[in-house]
Amino acid sequence: MTGLGPVAWPPAPIRTERLVLRESETRDRAAFIELFASPEVNSYLGGPRPRDELERTVPETPGRRPGLFVIERDGTMIGTVEFNRREGDLRSQVRPDAGEADLGYLLLPEAWGHGYAAEACAAALAWFADTLPGEPVLLCTQTANTRSLRLAAKLGFIEVGRYEAWGAEQWMGEVPRHVPVPFGGTS
């Protein structure tokens, strides 16, 4: 994530009731490859990448960059949650300006349906609000991704527009600054 300003990275791990959000480690490489190669995980993200390509190209410690948290449950990586700045290729017809933070997340299929995405995203949003108060956070997803739309609503995102991109209708939401984020984490 560019433009964090005075924010030190990585922050201390964020602990929730069931999860830890932390910086990527070497032991997470296999889980990263599984995330990127999974047809289920990537069904709304352009499809999976070939596993043999990932084995060759994924670095020893993948995902180590400002804005990306590994989601850990019981000592094992189950996904990621991240903030990216809306620059260049992330601009849309709805919000053509750049610079806003865009929330994204990926969870391994075996972690679906347990509330982990909501818990991790809420904790990451609380961290972001404490660290960069007043900055807007957006979330974009395909309108066909009903699970992601339900999560966006649960997290308090309000629709600010729709647009066509990557051959599909996209939904864009923003978290109003006055809405408290549920499932707050502790550091």
Side-chain angles (χ1 to χ4, degrees):
M1 183 167 151
T2 60
L4 281 177
V7 176
W9 192 267
I14 300 167
R15 299 182 190 288
T16 70
E17 184 178 326
R18 304 177 295 171
L19 307 172
V20 176
L21 277 60
R22 59 168 173 78
E23 183 177 38
S24 175
E25 299 173 359
T26 303
R27 66 186 169 116
D28 302 320
R29 186 174 188 273
F32 270 95
I33 290 171
E34 189 58 36
L35 276 173
F36 300 146
S38 168
E40 296 87 4
V41 171
N42 293 285
S43 62
Y44 297 103
L45 300 171
R49 291 178 47 198
R51 187 173 298 279
D52 60 337
E53 172 193 315
L54 293 166
E55 291 287 351
R56 285 190 316 275
T57 60
V58 170
E60 184 177 330
T61 307
R64 186 165 274 188
R65 63 172 181 72
L68 187 137
F69 293 97
V70 162
I71 304 168
E72 178 183 295
R73 166 102 169 118
D74 296 331
T76 302
M77 178 181 161
I78 62 168
T80 63
V81 61
E82 65 183 307
F83 295 99
N84 288 298
R85 290 287 180 190
R86 296 186 59 77
E87 297 176 2
D89 62 335
L90 291 178
R91 292 182 188 144
S92 71
Q93 298 89 335
V94 178
R95 298 292 272 284
D97 49 329
E100 293 126 328
D102 190 54
L103 176 68
Y105 55 92
L106 297 173
L107 272 80
L108 292 167
E110 56 268 23
W112 296 1
H114 302 284
Y116 300 141
E119 189 173 330
C121 288
L125 285 165
W127 170 83
F128 189 90
D130 286 346
T131 305
L132 298 164
E135 285 208 28
V137 177
L138 302 176
L139 184 146
C140 297
T141 189
Q142 283 188 23
T143 55
N145 190 344
T146 57
R147 292 175 75 116
S148 188
L149 290 172
R150 282 195 305 271
L151 176 58
K154 186 174 191 174
L155 292 169
F157 282 87
I158 306 296
E159 183 175 338
V160 293
R162 294 179 185 217
Y163 60 99
E164 186 77 21
W166 306 288
E169 183 181 48
Q170 307 294 318
W171 180 93
M172 179 183 284
E174 182 174 7
V175 175
R177 287 168 192 73
H178 64 280
V179 173
V181 178
F183 311 108
T186 59
S187 15

